[in-house]
């Protein structure tokens, strides 16, 4: 599955994304959604594609007061003209990935997601940051199990600099 990042995570996004998600800097929605839209466009999905945000942990959504991935998916959908849907759900929470090492991340998310839709649909997974890819792989598994065709994943930032960036 191709993964496209609009930018490397460091040095700018390592400050902007946590400020957005955790500190209420919602004025960054348009900027970050625009970067996500660039990554979506770089994947070249067909016009019927649906953007599907990777779900945050329920405790994180409660703590933040909003679902940042869904908000960014809505913003990117508005810029690309694609639809977006919350088809992924967390079956179990696991630990916050940011506190885990590389080897622990995959085990932490394996089997943690399910899909409530997407059968027969072309989808692009969207998220803010990709680190090891474990969360994106699990989200892809859940959607494909539900019958969706996952075109790829689009993210704003890439921690390990393995994906295509910077985009326009």
């Amino acid at each position: 599955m191709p993964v496209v990042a609009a930018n490397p995570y460091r040095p700018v996004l390592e400050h902007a994304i946590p400020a957005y998600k955790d500190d209420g800097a919602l004025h960054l929605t348009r900027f970050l959604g625009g970067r996500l839209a660039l990554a979506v466009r770089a994947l070249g999905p067909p016009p019927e594609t649906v953007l599907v945000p990777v779900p945050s942990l329920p405790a994180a959504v409660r703590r933040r007061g909003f679902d940042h991935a869904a908000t960014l998916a809505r913003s990117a959908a508005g810029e690309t003209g694609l639809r977006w849907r919350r088809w992924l759900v967390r079956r179990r929470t696991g630990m916050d990935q940011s506190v885990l090492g590389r080897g622990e991340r995959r085990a932490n998310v394996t089997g943690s997601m399910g899909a409530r839709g997407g059968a027969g649909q072309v989808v692009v997974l969207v998220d803010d940051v990709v680190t090891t890819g474990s969360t994106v792989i699990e989200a892809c598994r859940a959607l494909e199990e539900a019958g969706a065709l996952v075109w790829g994943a689009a993210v704003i930032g890439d921690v390990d600099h393995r994906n295509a960036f910077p985009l326009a």
Side-chain angles (χ1 to χ4, degrees):
M1 172 183 59
V3 178
V4 174
N7 297 94
Y9 187 60
R10 291 180 187 88
V12 176
L13 294 177
E14 71 180 322
H15 302 289
I17 289 175
Y20 174 71
K21 289 178 6 177
D22 300 321
D23 298 334
L26 299 180
H27 63 281
L28 294 173
T29 300
R30 191 171 194 177
F31 167 72
L32 294 173
R35 300 312 299 167
L36 184 57
L38 283 173
V40 169
R41 286 188 195 105
L43 283 168
E48 70 275 7
T49 299
V50 178
L51 304 182
V52 178
V54 173
S56 299
L57 293 171
V61 173
R62 285 190 300 276
R63 184 178 70 249
R64 293 174 181 143
F66 77 114
D67 183 337
H68 77 285
T71 303
L72 292 171
R74 183 180 324 120
S75 178
E79 291 209 25
T80 61
L82 300 173
R83 296 174 297 136
W84 75 281
R85 298 288 181 268
R86 290 183 193 185
W87 284 336
L88 287 169
V89 294
R90 294 280 184 155
R91 288 184 181 153
R92 62 176 177 76
T93 55
M95 294 179 64
D96 181 348
Q97 292 283 87
S98 68
V99 300
L100 301 176
R102 282 192 158 310
E104 299 167 308
R105 287 175 178 241
R106 181 65 187 237
N108 185 53
V109 296
T110 298
S112 67
M113 293 184 208
R116 300 185 299 208
Q121 299 290 310
V122 176
V123 304
V124 168
L125 290 164
V126 294
D127 205 358
D128 56 350
V129 178
V130 65
T131 304
T132 64
S134 297
T135 304
V136 169
I137 290 167
E138 171 60 15
C140 179
R141 182 211 53 80
L143 283 165
E144 287 179 342
E145 193 174 275
L149 170 64
V150 179
W151 189 266
V155 298
I156 302 165
D158 179 1
V159 172
D160 292 336
H161 307 286
R162 295 181 181 175
N163 304 289
F165 58 79
L167 302 174

